[in-house]
Amino acid sequence: MEEALLQIKDLSIVYETPLGTIHATTGVTFDVKRGESVGLVGESGSGKSTVGLAIAMALPPNARILNGRVLYEGTDLLRLKEEERKRYSGREISIVFQDPAATLNPLFTIGEQMTDVLMSNLGLTKEEALNRARDFLKKAGLPDSERILRSFPHELSGGMLQRVNIAIATSTEPKILVADEPTTMLDVMLQAQILELFDKLKRELKLTLIFITHNLGVASEICDRIIVMYAGTVVEDGPADEVISRPMHPYTASLLDCVPRTHIKAKRLRSIPGSLPDLSKPLVGCPFADRCGEAKDVCRQTKPDLVEIAPGHRVSCFKYKR
C-alpha cells in the first residue's frame, strides 16, 4: 500500500478570541497520497481553512493546538522550531490564499516580490530568480511577463493577481500546494480558467493539491477525493465521484442541494436551514443534528464515529452504524 505523503492525525485547534475560546477543529484525521487532489469542503466556520493553515504552517498567533499531528513524510510540522520550519514553508509546502490583493505587498513590484521569494527559498542569484519568475508567470497564463514584473499589485486585475500568486506559490516547485478558496472572489468565467490552471500545473509540476472551498461543485471539477467538514469535524470522506453522485451524510446531501443548477429554473437558491452550532461550547452528539431532517434521539446524545462503509469512503452518521 502506498505510504501517505501527508497525514493529519486527531487534529484539534482552538482560537483564543475576546469572546472566548473557539474550537475550530476537533479530532480531524485523514491521509493524502502523493499526487492526489483532495478537496476540503464545508460552510464558513467548518474548520477547513484552519486545517489548510496548519498544513501550510501559517496558523495565526491566536491559534492554539490542543492535540494532534500534521505529518509530512513522517515529520511533524506542528513541532518544528522556527528555523526548521523555514526548510519546509514555501519550499516543500506552499499556499495560495483567497484574496490575491491582500497577499501581495502594495509597495513593491511583482518582480521584487517574486525574486525575494526565490532568492530566500532557493538561494538563487537575482538574475536566476528573474529568469525563473518569468518562466512561472508564463506557466500561470501571463505571457507578458516583463510588464507583469514591472507592475505594482494595484495595476493588475483580480484575475491577474491570482495568477501571480499561483506563480509565486508554484515557483519553488513545492510537493504540496494548499489552495484556500482561490476562486471565491472571481467571476464564473475567471473561476473556470483558474481551475483549469490548477489542473494543468498539478500535472506539469506533479503537485499534491489540497483545495479548500465551500462549493462542492467546484471541488468535483478538480479533486480526486472530497473531505466534507462540519463544525470542525470530518463528516464524510470519499472519492469525488461517489461523494457527488451518492452523498451519504445528510450534510453533504444538503450542500449538494445548494449548488446552482443551470438546467433547473428556480425562483431562489436553496439554503440549509439553521446555523452552525456555537463552537465556544463543547459539542454534544452529532454537530449537524439540529439541522438534520433525519436526526433521532441518539444523534443529539452521542457523536457518531467516522467509519468506513465502502472502500475508501468514510461517513460519520448513525444511519450507517455497524
Side-chain angles (χ1 to χ4, degrees), residues 109-119 122 124-151 160 163-173 201 205:
T109 66
I110 301 302
E112 289 171 319
Q113 296 184 63
M114 288 195 75
T115 53
D116 181 62
V117 168
L118 290 165
M119 291 166 69
L122 301 184
L124 302 180
T125 66
K126 187 169 184 179
E127 184 178 353
E128 290 171 336
L130 276 171
N131 287 334
R132 192 174 182 88
R134 292 185 187 98
D135 182 34
F136 275 84
L137 285 172
K138 291 174 182 176
K139 287 181 187 295
L142 295 167
D144 191 4
S145 59
E146 293 301 329
R147 182 179 70 84
I148 301 296
L149 289 170
R150 293 193 304 269
S151 299
M160 294 174 76
R163 288 179 185 271
V164 167
N165 277 314
I166 293 168
I168 293 173
T170 56
S171 64
T172 57
E173 296 193 52
L201 291 174
L205 303 176

Side-chain angles (χ1 to χ4, degrees), residues 1-12:
M1 185 176 179
E2 183 185 353
E3 187 176 344
L5 175 65
L6 183 72
Q7 295 174 291
I8 312 298
K9 293 182 176 291
D10 200 24
L11 186 62
S12 297

Side-chain angles (χ1 to χ4, degrees), residues 62-121:
N62 68 326
R64 183 161 55 91
I65 300 159
L66 295 184
N67 189 59
R69 293 181 290 168
V70 175
L71 299 175
Y72 168 71
E73 294 186 325
T75 298
D76 190 351
L77 301 176
L78 301 181
R79 304 292 179 263
L80 295 176
K81 295 179 180 178
E82 186 63 32
E83 284 303 311
E84 296 174 315
R85 193 176 298 152
K86 290 178 182 177
R87 291 169 40 206
Y88 293 90
S89 180
R91 295 179 63 178
E92 300 287 315
I93 303 169
S94 287
I95 185 167
V96 176
F97 291 101
Q98 176 178 339
D99 186 352
T103 306
L104 296 165
N105 191 322
L107 302 179
F108 296 95
T109 66
I110 301 302
E112 289 171 319
Q113 296 184 63
M114 288 195 75
T115 53
D116 181 62
V117 168
L118 290 165
M119 291 166 69
S120 61
N121 281 305

Side-chain angles (χ1 to χ4, degrees), residues 28 49 58 70 93 112 122 125 128 157 181 192 198 221-222 228-229 267 284 287 301:
V28 173
S49 290
V70 175
I93 303 169
E112 289 171 319
L122 301 184
T125 66
E128 290 171 336
S157 68
E181 299 268 16
F198 273 112
E221 292 183 38
I222 196 169
V228 181
M229 294 189 64
K267 292 183 178 179
V284 178
Q301 298 163 0

Side-chain angles (χ1 to χ4, degrees), residues 2 9 19 36 50 68 93 110 140 153 170 174 186 191 207 249 254 275 314:
E2 183 185 353
K9 293 182 176 291
L19 299 178
E36 193 174 25
T50 296
I93 303 169
I110 301 302
T170 56
L186 306 176
Q191 182 181 93
L207 292 168
H249 196 280
S254 297
S275 58
R314 302 182 300 161

